[in-house]
Amino acid sequence: MSKSEYQDYREQILATEACMGNGRKSRRRRTLPAQHVDVAQPTPTPSPEAKRFHFDTNTRTFQVVLVIFASVISAASTFTFAPRLEDLAQRGAEQGKDQRLGAQPPLYVEVEQLSEDGGYTWAFEKPLTQGQVGNLNKPENRPDIDTVSQLLRYTGGKRLFGFCPDECLWGSSYKVKMTGNRRLPVDVTNVELRVHSRRPAPRGALLQANPQGGGPLETIAFDLGKGDILTPDYYDENMKNEGRYFDKRVYSLGEGEPGGFQVIAHGPCWCLWELVVHSRSGGQVQEPMTIRADGTPNGNFFETVGGFDETNYSMLLSLDVESRKISVDRPKNAVR
């Protein structure tokens, strides 16, 4: 190769390297493709940490603030909810009381047999013998009227009650005391008499003494001659019949309030009977109550021994109230 050819070859090599950028004398720096260029990122400045609000629970100030806050909440709750809570508590107490009383009868009842206002009259199924009258007249057997009553009852006598509205009738009388047993008033809407059994009234002997006073102020009476299920008539203080008692009125008793009736049953029979009291309270009908002579629903029946005009008895006796001595009078027209 000549010197000129070598010179041309070297210039071509240099030109090629210059184009490719790999020449040892090239000042151009080799770089990586753009996607691979590792560009230095600035280091982020850390943000200041948020400060937390801190209570020191052991300080006096915190304790005072806590007490005041609790007081404010309590007062607000009391102002808002106390009336309703009080109302709910009262309703709960009333419902509990109604439930407790609802398991009991609507009325408390006591029964007392009355006889003093109707005089002192006794009837016997058979005429008394001379020995029985003599025994009743012994001084030691009549120190007081209670002793005489016990002996008359032992001899077979039945106490009669003189009921005299227009004409005197014989029957029995009981004071039926009632006391309300509900939170709301109990309205007695009816009192029925139901006859359990009946037999002819005794006609053997009749013993009488002078009546001892007038009748009660408020009386309901049943005529046993009208049937076996009866409603009462009302008699005012002048013993005037005002019609059926419960047709025009109810008898109301509050909780613990006492009251009641004098119940008279009359008629020419020897009857055993009971009362059935109907009532309502707070608009609700109560269970009917059965009442017998001892005030319970299952005790002995009430008893009425009716009487007749004295001419219907085989024997007529009279009692002197002061000496309590019995005398015998046998009427001429007596039915024997």
Side-chain angles (χ1 to χ4, degrees):
M1 176 182 297
S2 64
K3 185 176 180 180
S4 59
E5 292 177 340
Y6 174 77
Q7 187 67 28
D8 292 335
Y9 173 74
R10 180 175 176 79
E11 289 180 358
Q12 292 178 0
I13 294 297
L14 292 174
T16 302
E17 289 181 352
C19 292
M20 298 180 63
N22 293 328
R24 283 176 289 180
K25 293 183 179 182
S26 175
R27 295 182 179 179
R28 301 178 65 180
R29 300 179 62 181
R30 185 179 298 176
T31 59
L32 295 175
Q35 62 271 25
H36 296 291
V37 177
D38 186 11
V39 180
Q41 298 294 330
T43 303
T45 302
S47 60
E49 184 178 358
K51 294 183 180 180
R52 296 182 179 178
F53 191 72
H54 177 68
F55 264 126
D56 187 353
T57 59
N58 293 323
T59 63
R60 179 67 176 176
T61 302
F62 175 79
Q63 294 175 358
V64 171
V65 170
L66 184 62
V67 170
I68 294 175
F69 181 75
S71 299
V72 171
I73 295 298
S74 176
S77 300
T78 301
F79 180 78
T80 304
F81 299 106
R84 178 161 179 80
L85 292 176
E86 183 178 353
D87 183 56
L88 291 175
Q90 182 177 357
R91 290 185 182 180
E94 291 176 352
Q95 291 176 356
K97 187 172 187 178
D98 289 340
Q99 185 175 7
R100 175 174 57 83
L101 294 178
Q104 304 173 13
L107 298 165
Y108 288 124
V109 177
E110 297 179 51
V111 175
E112 176 187 352
Q113 186 170 10
L114 301 177
S115 55
E116 290 78 7
D117 291 336
Y120 195 78
T121 305
W122 295 74
F124 299 82
E125 286 190 90
K126 298 179 180 179
L128 299 185
T129 65
Q130 186 176 356
Q132 288 173 320
V133 175
N135 184 57
L136 290 170
N137 281 331
K138 289 180 180 180
E140 63 270 23
N141 288 341
R142 47 187 173 90
D144 52 57
I145 198 66
D146 290 335
T147 303
V148 173
S149 297
Q150 292 177 7
L151 285 175
L152 290 174
R153 193 173 291 109
Y154 178 79
T155 308
K158 297 293 183 181
R159 185 77 178 269
L160 306 184
F161 181 87
F163 175 53
C164 303
D166 298 322
E167 58 177 346
C168 284
L169 307 170
W170 298 112
S172 60
S173 177
Y174 295 86
K175 184 175 183 180
V176 180
K177 303 176 184 178
M178 300 177 180
T179 303
N181 189 35
R182 289 290 185 271
R183 182 177 59 84
L184 299 176
V186 177
D187 297 329
V188 179
T189 57
N190 195 15
V191 177
E192 292 179 347
L193 184 149
R194 297 182 180 180
V195 177
H196 177 72
S197 66
R198 63 172 67 236
R199 55 191 287 198
R203 298 192 182 194
L206 183 70
L207 183 147
Q208 294 177 304
N210 294 326
Q212 300 176 0
L217 293 178
E218 182 153 336
T219 300
I220 57 174
F222 298 88
D223 185 352
L224 295 172
K226 291 184 177 181
D228 289 343
I229 299 179
L230 305 169
T231 55
D233 290 332
Y234 171 63
Y235 287 83
D236 63 17
E237 59 185 36
N238 297 316
M239 300 306 292
K240 179 182 178 182
N241 190 332
E242 297 288 348
R244 293 185 177 181
Y245 185 94
F246 293 102
D247 283 355
K248 301 178 181 179
R249 57 182 68 81
V250 296
Y251 191 79
S252 185
L253 292 169
E255 183 183 4
E257 179 183 0
F261 302 96
Q262 178 172 1
V263 178
I264 295 175
H266 61 87
C269 74
W270 188 344
C271 291
L272 301 179
W273 48 274
E274 64 188 11
L275 295 174
V276 178
V277 178
H278 300 269
S279 64
R280 62 174 179 259
S281 178
Q284 295 183 352
V285 176
Q286 303 296 299
E287 189 74 19
M289 288 182 61
T290 299
I291 303 173
R292 293 186 180 176
D294 61 353
T296 70
N298 301 311
N300 294 327
F301 289 98
F302 292 99
E303 181 181 46
T304 294
V305 180
F308 304 92
D309 184 87
E310 59 187 45
T311 59
N312 287 277
Y313 293 89
S314 299
M315 176 182 283
L316 184 65
L317 305 100
S318 59
L319 174 74
D320 182 78
V321 177
E322 292 184 4
S323 66
R324 293 172 294 280
K325 186 175 182 179
I326 297 174
S327 59
V328 178
D329 180 19
R330 191 182 298 274
K332 295 180 180 179
N333 58 345
V335 176
R336 298 175 184 269

mmCIF file with all atom_site columns, all heavy atoms in Angstrom, residues 89-111:
data_model
loop_
_atom_site.group_PDB
_atom_site.id
_atom_site.type_symbol
_atom_site.label_atom_id
_atom_site.label_alt_id
_atom_site.label_comp_id
_atom_site.label_asym_id
_atom_site.label_entity_id
_atom_site.label_seq_id
_atom_site.pdbx_PDB_ins_code
_atom_site.Cartn_x
_atom_site.Cartn_y
_atom_site.Cartn_z
_atom_site.occupancy
_atom_site.B_iso_or_equiv
_atom_site.pdbx_formal_charge
_atom_site.auth_seq_id
_atom_site.auth_comp_id
_atom_site.auth_asym_id
_atom_site.auth_atom_id
_atom_site.pdbx_PDB_model_num
ATOM 1   N N   . ALA A 1 89  ? -92.700  5.666   85.018  1.00 0.00 ? 89  ALA A N   1
ATOM 2   C CA  . ALA A 1 89  ? -92.642  4.971   86.304  1.00 0.00 ? 89  ALA A CA  1
ATOM 3   C C   . ALA A 1 89  ? -94.018  4.912   86.954  1.00 0.00 ? 89  ALA A C   1
ATOM 4   O O   . ALA A 1 89  ? -94.411  3.879   87.513  1.00 0.00 ? 89  ALA A O   1
ATOM 5   C CB  . ALA A 1 89  ? -91.654  5.675   87.225  1.00 0.00 ? 89  ALA A CB  1
ATOM 6   N N   . GLN A 1 90  ? -94.774  6.016   86.864  1.00 0.00 ? 90  GLN A N   1
ATOM 7   C CA  . GLN A 1 90  ? -96.117  6.032   87.443  1.00 0.00 ? 90  GLN A CA  1
ATOM 8   C C   . GLN A 1 90  ? -97.035  5.059   86.720  1.00 0.00 ? 90  GLN A C   1
ATOM 9   O O   . GLN A 1 90  ? -97.813  4.337   87.355  1.00 0.00 ? 90  GLN A O   1
ATOM 10  C CB  . GLN A 1 90  ? -96.690  7.444   87.380  1.00 0.00 ? 90  GLN A CB  1
ATOM 11  C CG  . GLN A 1 90  ? -98.081  7.573   88.013  1.00 0.00 ? 90  GLN A CG  1
ATOM 12  C CD  . GLN A 1 90  ? -98.583  9.001   88.003  1.00 0.00 ? 90  GLN A CD  1
ATOM 13  O OE1 . GLN A 1 90  ? -97.876  9.906   87.570  1.00 0.00 ? 90  GLN A OE1 1
ATOM 14  N NE2 . GLN A 1 90  ? -99.796  9.203   88.469  1.00 0.00 ? 90  GLN A NE2 1
ATOM 15  N N   . ARG A 1 91  ? -96.937  5.035   85.387  1.00 0.00 ? 91  ARG A N   1
ATOM 16  C CA  . ARG A 1 91  ? -97.768  4.098   84.629  1.00 0.00 ? 91  ARG A CA  1
ATOM 17  C C   . ARG A 1 91  ? -97.412  2.653   84.971  1.00 0.00 ? 91  ARG A C   1
ATOM 18  O O   . ARG A 1 91  ? -98.298  1.810   85.116  1.00 0.00 ? 91  ARG A O   1
ATOM 19  C CB  . ARG A 1 91  ? -97.587  4.332   83.129  1.00 0.00 ? 91  ARG A CB  1
ATOM 20  C CG  . ARG A 1 91  ? -98.191  5.624   82.633  1.00 0.00 ? 91  ARG A CG  1
ATOM 21  C CD  . ARG A 1 91  ? -98.074  5.725   81.111  1.00 0.00 ? 91  ARG A CD  1
ATOM 22  N NE  . ARG A 1 91  ? -98.604  6.974   80.603  1.00 0.00 ? 91  ARG A NE  1
ATOM 23  C CZ  . ARG A 1 91  ? -98.618  7.308   79.314  1.00 0.00 ? 91  ARG A CZ  1
ATOM 24  N NH1 . ARG A 1 91  ? -98.146  6.447   78.408  1.00 0.00 ? 91  ARG A NH1 1
ATOM 25  N NH2 . ARG A 1 91  ? -99.108  8.466   78.931  1.00 0.00 ? 91  ARG A NH2 1
ATOM 26  N N   . GLY A 1 92  ? -96.113  2.402   85.120  1.00 0.00 ? 92  GLY A N   1
ATOM 27  C CA  . GLY A 1 92  ? -95.703  1.053   85.492  1.00 0.00 ? 92  GLY A CA  1
ATOM 28  C C   . GLY A 1 92  ? -96.233  0.661   86.854  1.00 0.00 ? 92  GLY A C   1
ATOM 29  O O   . GLY A 1 92  ? -96.688  -0.474  87.051  1.00 0.00 ? 92  GLY A O   1
ATOM 30  N N   . ALA A 1 93  ? -96.195  1.614   87.810  1.00 0.00 ? 93  ALA A N   1
ATOM 31  C CA  . ALA A 1 93  ? -96.718  1.326   89.147  1.00 0.00 ? 93  ALA A CA  1
ATOM 32  C C   . ALA A 1 93  ? -98.220  1.078   89.109  1.00 0.00 ? 93  ALA A C   1
ATOM 33  O O   . ALA A 1 93  ? -98.735  0.172   89.779  1.00 0.00 ? 93  ALA A O   1
ATOM 34  C CB  . ALA A 1 93  ? -96.395  2.482   90.092  1.00 0.00 ? 93  ALA A CB  1
ATOM 35  N N   . GLU A 1 94  ? -98.945  1.873   88.306  1.00 0.00 ? 94  GLU A N   1
ATOM 36  C CA  . GLU A 1 94  ? -100.398 1.698   88.204  1.00 0.00 ? 94  GLU A CA  1
ATOM 37  C C   . GLU A 1 94  ? -100.739 0.362   87.554  1.00 0.00 ? 94  GLU A C   1
ATOM 38  O O   . GLU A 1 94  ? -101.658 -0.338  87.992  1.00 0.00 ? 94  GLU A O   1
ATOM 39  C CB  . GLU A 1 94  ? -100.997 2.855   87.401  1.00 0.00 ? 94  GLU A CB  1
ATOM 40  C CG  . GLU A 1 94  ? -100.946 4.194   88.134  1.00 0.00 ? 94  GLU A CG  1
ATOM 41  C CD  . GLU A 1 94  ? -101.461 5.330   87.272  1.00 0.00 ? 94  GLU A CD  1
ATOM 42  O OE1 . GLU A 1 94  ? -101.717 5.093   86.068  1.00 0.00 ? 94  GLU A OE1 1
ATOM 43  O OE2 . GLU A 1 94  ? -101.617 6.451   87.793  1.00 0.00 ? 94  GLU A OE2 1
ATOM 44  N N   . GLN A 1 95  ? -100.005 0.006   86.494  1.00 0.00 ? 95  GLN A N   1
ATOM 45  C CA  . GLN A 1 95  ? -100.267 -1.273  85.837  1.00 0.00 ? 95  GLN A CA  1
ATOM 46  C C   . GLN A 1 95  ? -99.972  -2.437  86.769  1.00 0.00 ? 95  GLN A C   1
ATOM 47  O O   . GLN A 1 95  ? -100.716 -3.422  86.808  1.00 0.00 ? 95  GLN A O   1
ATOM 48  C CB  . GLN A 1 95  ? -99.428  -1.383  84.564  1.00 0.00 ? 95  GLN A CB  1
ATOM 49  C CG  . GLN A 1 95  ? -99.862  -0.435  83.458  1.00 0.00 ? 95  GLN A CG  1
ATOM 50  C CD  . GLN A 1 95  ? -98.957  -0.496  82.245  1.00 0.00 ? 95  GLN A CD  1
ATOM 51  O OE1 . GLN A 1 95  ? -97.945  -1.196  82.247  1.00 0.00 ? 95  GLN A OE1 1
ATOM 52  N NE2 . GLN A 1 95  ? -99.310  0.245   81.199  1.00 0.00 ? 95  GLN A NE2 1
ATOM 53  N N   . GLY A 1 96  ? -98.889  -2.309  87.550  1.00 0.00 ? 96  GLY A N   1
ATOM 54  C CA  . GLY A 1 96  ? -98.580  -3.363  88.509  1.00 0.00 ? 96  GLY A CA  1
ATOM 55  C C   . GLY A 1 96  ? -99.651  -3.493  89.572  1.00 0.00 ? 96  GLY A C   1
ATOM 56  O O   . GLY A 1 96  ? -100.026 -4.605  89.956  1.00 0.00 ? 96  GLY A O   1
ATOM 57  N N   . LYS A 1 97  ? -100.160 -2.358  90.043  1.00 0.00 ? 97  LYS A N   1
ATOM 58  C CA  . LYS A 1 97  ? -101.217 -2.392  91.059  1.00 0.00 ? 97  LYS A CA  1
ATOM 59  C C   . LYS A 1 97  ? -102.499 -2.962  90.482  1.00 0.00 ? 97  LYS A C   1
ATOM 60  O O   . LYS A 1 97  ? -103.191 -3.761  91.134  1.00 0.00 ? 97  LYS A O   1
ATOM 61  C CB  . LYS A 1 97  ? -101.457 -0.981  91.597  1.00 0.00 ? 97  LYS A CB  1
ATOM 62  C CG  . LYS A 1 97  ? -102.412 -0.931  92.782  1.00 0.00 ? 97  LYS A CG  1
ATOM 63  C CD  . LYS A 1 97  ? -102.443 0.457   93.387  1.00 0.00 ? 97  LYS A CD  1
ATOM 64  C CE  . LYS A 1 97  ? -103.266 0.460   94.661  1.00 0.00 ? 97  LYS A CE  1
ATOM 65  N NZ  . LYS A 1 97  ? -103.287 1.800   95.303  1.00 0.00 ? 97  LYS A NZ  1
ATOM 66  N N   . ASP A 1 98  ? -102.841 -2.551  89.254  1.00 0.00 ? 98  ASP A N   1
ATOM 67  C CA  . ASP A 1 98  ? -104.041 -3.097  88.614  1.00 0.00 ? 98  ASP A CA  1
ATOM 68  C C   . ASP A 1 98  ? -103.928 -4.607  88.437  1.00 0.00 ? 98  ASP A C   1
ATOM 69  O O   . ASP A 1 98  ? -104.908 -5.337  88.634  1.00 0.00 ? 98  ASP A O   1
ATOM 70  C CB  . ASP A 1 98  ? -104.270 -2.435  87.257  1.00 0.00 ? 98  ASP A CB  1
ATOM 71  C CG  . ASP A 1 98  ? -104.715 -0.986  87.389  1.00 0.00 ? 98  ASP A CG  1
ATOM 72  O OD1 . ASP A 1 98  ? -105.196 -0.609  88.477  1.00 0.00 ? 98  ASP A OD1 1
ATOM 73  O OD2 . ASP A 1 98  ? -104.571 -0.232  86.404  1.00 0.00 ? 98  ASP A OD2 1
ATOM 74  N N   . GLN A 1 99  ? -102.746 -5.066  88.068  1.00 0.00 ? 99  GLN A N   1
ATOM 75  C CA  . GLN A 1 99  ? -102.554 -6.503  87.877  1.00 0.00 ? 99  GLN A CA  1
ATOM 76  C C   . GLN A 1 99  ? -102.672 -7.250  89.208  1.00 0.00 ? 99  GLN A C   1
ATOM 77  O O   . GLN A 1 99  ? -103.293 -8.308  89.280  1.00 0.00 ? 99  GLN A O   1
ATOM 78  C CB  . GLN A 1 99  ? -101.186 -6.759  87.255  1.00 0.00 ? 99  GLN A CB  1
ATOM 79  C CG  . GLN A 1 99  ? -100.937 -8.227  86.902  1.00 0.00 ? 99  GLN A CG  1
ATOM 80  C CD  . GLN A 1 99  ? -99.618  -8.428  86.188  1.00 0.00 ? 99  GLN A CD  1
ATOM 81  O OE1 . GLN A 1 99  ? -98.816  -7.501  86.060  1.00 0.00 ? 99  GLN A OE1 1
ATOM 82  N NE2 . GLN A 1 99  ? -99.368  -9.628  85.724  1.00 0.00 ? 99  GLN A NE2 1
ATOM 83  N N   . ARG A 1 100 ? -102.116 -6.663  90.267  1.00 0.00 ? 100 ARG A N   1
ATOM 84  C CA  . ARG A 1 100 ? -102.187 -7.312  91.579  1.00 0.00 ? 100 ARG A CA  1
ATOM 85  C C   . ARG A 1 100 ? -103.622 -7.343  92.094  1.00 0.00 ? 100 ARG A C   1
ATOM 86  O O   . ARG A 1 100 ? -104.102 -8.373  92.566  1.00 0.00 ? 100 ARG A O   1
ATOM 87  C CB  . ARG A 1 100 ? -101.294 -6.568  92.569  1.00 0.00 ? 100 ARG A CB  1
ATOM 88  C CG  . ARG A 1 100 ? -101.372 -7.077  94.002  1.00 0.00 ? 100 ARG A CG  1
ATOM 89  C CD  . ARG A 1 100 ? -100.354 -6.379  94.879  1.00 0.00 ? 100 ARG A CD  1
ATOM 90  N NE  . ARG A 1 100 ? -100.511 -4.951  94.867  1.00 0.00 ? 100 ARG A NE  1
ATOM 91  C CZ  . ARG A 1 100 ? -101.393 -4.299  95.629  1.00 0.00 ? 100 ARG A CZ  1
ATOM 92  N NH1 . ARG A 1 100 ? -102.194 -4.965  96.450  1.00 0.00 ? 100 ARG A NH1 1
ATOM 93  N NH2 . ARG A 1 100 ? -101.474 -2.979  95.585  1.00 0.00 ? 100 ARG A NH2 1
ATOM 94  N N   . LEU A 1 101 ? -104.338 -6.207  91.989  1.00 0.00 ? 101 LEU A N   1
ATOM 95  C CA  . LEU A 1 101 ? -105.719 -6.160  92.475  1.00 0.00 ? 101 LEU A CA  1
ATOM 96  C C   . LEU A 1 101 ? -106.652 -6.962  91.579  1.00 0.00 ? 101 LEU A C   1
ATOM 97  O O   . LEU A 1 101 ? -107.674 -7.467  92.043  1.00 0.00 ? 101 LEU A O   1
ATOM 98  C CB  . LEU A 1 101 ? -106.202 -4.710  92.559  1.00 0.00 ? 101 LEU A CB  1
ATOM 99  C CG  . LEU A 1 101 ? -105.506 -3.824  93.599  1.00 0.00 ? 101 LEU A CG  1
ATOM 100 C CD1 . LEU A 1 101 ? -106.051 -2.398  93.537  1.00 0.00 ? 101 LEU A CD1 1
ATOM 101 C CD2 . LEU A 1 101 ? -105.687 -4.389  95.000  1.00 0.00 ? 101 LEU A CD2 1
ATOM 102 N N   . GLY A 1 102 ? -106.289 -7.079  90.278  1.00 0.00 ? 102 GLY A N   1
ATOM 103 C CA  . GLY A 1 102 ? -107.144 -7.831  89.361  1.00 0.00 ? 102 GLY A CA  1
ATOM 104 C C   . GLY A 1 102 ? -107.247 -9.299  89.709  1.00 0.00 ? 102 GLY A C   1
ATOM 105 O O   . GLY A 1 102 ? -108.199 -9.974  89.309  1.00 0.00 ? 102 GLY A O   1
ATOM 106 N N   . ALA A 1 103 ? -106.268 -9.819  90.458  1.00 0.00 ? 103 ALA A N   1
ATOM 107 C CA  . ALA A 1 103 ? -106.323 -11.215 90.875  1.00 0.00 ? 103 ALA A CA  1
ATOM 108 C C   . ALA A 1 103 ? -107.196 -11.405 92.112  1.00 0.00 ? 103 ALA A C   1
ATOM 109 O O   . ALA A 1 103 ? -107.392 -12.531 92.566  1.00 0.00 ? 103 ALA A O   1
ATOM 110 C CB  . ALA A 1 103 ? -104.907 -11.738 91.162  1.00 0.00 ? 103 ALA A CB  1
ATOM 111 N N   . GLN A 1 104 ? -107.738 -10.306 92.656  1.00 0.00 ? 104 GLN A N   1
ATOM 112 C CA  . GLN A 1 104 ? -108.585 -10.363 93.844  1.00 0.00 ? 104 GLN A CA  1
ATOM 113 C C   . GLN A 1 104 ? -109.997 -9.933  93.476  1.00 0.00 ? 104 GLN A C   1
ATOM 114 O O   . GLN A 1 104 ? -110.226 -9.334  92.424  1.00 0.00 ? 104 GLN A O   1
ATOM 115 C CB  . GLN A 1 104 ? -108.014 -9.443  94.931  1.00 0.00 ? 104 GLN A CB  1
ATOM 116 C CG  . GLN A 1 104 ? -106.579 -9.742  95.320  1.00 0.00 ? 104 GLN A CG  1
ATOM 117 C CD  . GLN A 1 104 ? -106.017 -8.697  96.265  1.00 0.00 ? 104 GLN A CD  1
ATOM 118 O OE1 . GLN A 1 104 ? -106.740 -7.883  96.822  1.00 0.00 ? 104 GLN A OE1 1
ATOM 119 N NE2 . GLN A 1 104 ? -104.700 -8.718  96.448  1.00 0.00 ? 104 GLN A NE2 1
ATOM 120 N N   . PRO A 1 105 ? -110.985 -10.211 94.333  1.00 0.00 ? 105 PRO A N   1
ATOM 121 C CA  . PRO A 1 105 ? -112.353 -9.749  94.058  1.00 0.00 ? 105 PRO A CA  1
ATOM 122 C C   . PRO A 1 105 ? -112.405 -8.226  94.006  1.00 0.00 ? 105 PRO A C   1
ATOM 123 O O   . PRO A 1 105 ? -111.607 -7.554  94.669  1.00 0.00 ? 105 PRO A O   1
ATOM 124 C CB  . PRO A 1 105 ? -113.156 -10.301 95.240  1.00 0.00 ? 105 PRO A CB  1
ATOM 125 C CG  . PRO A 1 105 ? -112.345 -11.425 95.785  1.00 0.00 ? 105 PRO A CG  1
ATOM 126 C CD  . PRO A 1 105 ? -110.914 -11.055 95.545  1.00 0.00 ? 105 PRO A CD  1
ATOM 127 N N   . PRO A 1 106 ? -113.330 -7.656  93.231  1.00 0.00 ? 106 PRO A N   1
ATOM 128 C CA  . PRO A 1 106 ? -113.403 -6.186  93.134  1.00 0.00 ? 106 PRO A CA  1
ATOM 129 C C   . PRO A 1 106 ? -113.878 -5.516  94.413  1.00 0.00 ? 106 PRO A C   1
ATOM 130 O O   . PRO A 1 106 ? -113.724 -4.312  94.572  1.00 0.00 ? 106 PRO A O   1
ATOM 131 C CB  . PRO A 1 106 ? -114.396 -5.958  91.989  1.00 0.00 ? 106 PRO A CB  1
ATOM 132 C CG  . PRO A 1 106 ? -115.199 -7.211  91.923  1.00 0.00 ? 106 PRO A CG  1
ATOM 133 C CD  . PRO A 1 106 ? -114.276 -8.322  92.329  1.00 0.00 ? 106 PRO A CD  1
ATOM 134 N N   . LEU A 1 107 ? -114.477 -6.293  95.334  1.00 0.00 ? 107 LEU A N   1
ATOM 135 C CA  . LEU A 1 107 ? -114.991 -5.745  96.582  1.00 0.00 ? 107 LEU A CA  1
ATOM 136 C C   . LEU A 1 107 ? -114.609 -6.644  97.747  1.00 0.00 ? 107 LEU A C   1
ATOM 137 O O   . LEU A 1 107 ? -114.606 -7.872  97.623  1.00 0.00 ? 107 LEU A O   1
ATOM 138 C CB  . LEU A 1 107 ? -116.521 -5.622  96.541  1.00 0.00 ? 107 LEU A CB  1
ATOM 139 C CG  . LEU A 1 107 ? -117.134 -4.702  95.476  1.00 0.00 ? 107 LEU A CG  1
ATOM 140 C CD1 . LEU A 1 107 ? -118.625 -4.983  95.340  1.00 0.00 ? 107 LEU A CD1 1
ATOM 141 C CD2 . LEU A 1 107 ? -116.883 -3.247  95.821  1.00 0.00 ? 107 LEU A CD2 1
ATOM 142 N N   . TYR A 1 108 ? -114.269 -6.012  98.875  1.00 0.00 ? 108 TYR A N   1
ATOM 143 C CA  . TYR A 1 108 ? -114.188 -6.746  100.135 1.00 0.00 ? 108 TYR A CA  1
ATOM 144 C C   . TYR A 1 108 ? -115.587 -6.748  100.748 1.00 0.00 ? 108 TYR A C   1
ATOM 145 O O   . TYR A 1 108 ? -116.280 -5.741  100.734 1.00 0.00 ? 108 TYR A O   1
ATOM 146 C CB  . TYR A 1 108 ? -113.203 -6.085  101.097 1.00 0.00 ? 108 TYR A CB  1
ATOM 147 C CG  . TYR A 1 108 ? -111.752 -6.240  100.732 1.00 0.00 ? 108 TYR A CG  1
ATOM 148 C CD1 . TYR A 1 108 ? -110.933 -5.126  100.563 1.00 0.00 ? 108 TYR A CD1 1
ATOM 149 C CD2 . TYR A 1 108 ? -111.186 -7.494  100.546 1.00 0.00 ? 108 TYR A CD2 1
ATOM 150 C CE1 . TYR A 1 108 ? -109.597 -5.263  100.222 1.00 0.00 ? 108 TYR A CE1 1
ATOM 151 C CE2 . TYR A 1 108 ? -109.853 -7.644  100.201 1.00 0.00 ? 108 TYR A CE2 1
ATOM 152 C CZ  . TYR A 1 108 ? -109.068 -6.518  100.044 1.00 0.00 ? 108 TYR A CZ  1
ATOM 153 O OH  . TYR A 1 108 ? -107.754 -6.655  99.701  1.00 0.00 ? 108 TYR A OH  1
ATOM 154 N N   . VAL A 1 109 ? -115.988 -7.884  101.301 1.00 0.00 ? 109 VAL A N   1
ATOM 155 C CA  . VAL A 1 109 ? -117.361 -8.022  101.790 1.00 0.00 ? 109 VAL A CA  1
ATOM 156 C C   . VAL A 1 109 ? -117.365 -8.567  103.211 1.00 0.00 ? 109 VAL A C   1
ATOM 157 O O   . VAL A 1 109 ? -116.614 -9.485  103.541 1.00 0.00 ? 109 VAL A O   1
ATOM 158 C CB  . VAL A 1 109 ? -118.186 -8.962  100.864 1.00 0.00 ? 109 VAL A CB  1
ATOM 159 C CG1 . VAL A 1 109 ? -119.583 -9.153  101.421 1.00 0.00 ? 109 VAL A CG1 1
ATOM 160 C CG2 . VAL A 1 109 ? -118.255 -8.397  99.454  1.00 0.00 ? 109 VAL A CG2 1
ATOM 161 N N   . GLU A 1 110 ? -118.198 -7.968  104.044 1.00 0.00 ? 110 GLU A N   1
ATOM 162 C CA  . GLU A 1 110 ? -118.503 -8.486  105.374 1.00 0.00 ? 110 GLU A CA  1
ATOM 163 C C   . GLU A 1 110 ? -120.018 -8.539  105.514 1.00 0.00 ? 110 GLU A C   1
ATOM 164 O O   . GLU A 1 110 ? -120.731 -7.680  104.990 1.00 0.00 ? 110 GLU A O   1
ATOM 165 C CB  . GLU A 1 110 ? -117.920 -7.594  106.469 1.00 0.00 ? 110 GLU A CB  1
ATOM 166 C CG  . GLU A 1 110 ? -116.408 -7.489  106.478 1.00 0.00 ? 110 GLU A CG  1
ATOM 167 C CD  . GLU A 1 110 ? -115.924 -6.560  107.579 1.00 0.00 ? 110 GLU A CD  1
ATOM 168 O OE1 . GLU A 1 110 ? -116.347 -6.754  108.741 1.00 0.00 ? 110 GLU A OE1 1
ATOM 169 O OE2 . GLU A 1 110 ? -115.154 -5.642  107.277 1.00 0.00 ? 110 GLU A OE2 1
ATOM 170 N N   . VAL A 1 111 ? -120.495 -9.545  106.229 1.00 0.00 ? 111 VAL A N   1
ATOM 171 C CA  . VAL A 1 111 ? -121.939 -9.728  106.393 1.00 0.00 ? 111 VAL A CA  1
ATOM 172 C C   . VAL A 1 111 ? -122.269 -9.789  107.878 1.00 0.00 ? 111 VAL A C   1
ATOM 173 O O   . VAL A 1 111 ? -121.588 -10.462 108.656 1.00 0.00 ? 111 VAL A O   1
ATOM 174 C CB  . VAL A 1 111 ? -122.429 -11.007 105.683 1.00 0.00 ? 111 VAL A CB  1
ATOM 175 C CG1 . VAL A 1 111 ? -123.907 -11.239 105.958 1.00 0.00 ? 111 VAL A CG1 1
ATOM 176 C CG2 . VAL A 1 111 ? -122.180 -10.907 104.177 1.00 0.00 ? 111 VAL A CG2 1
#
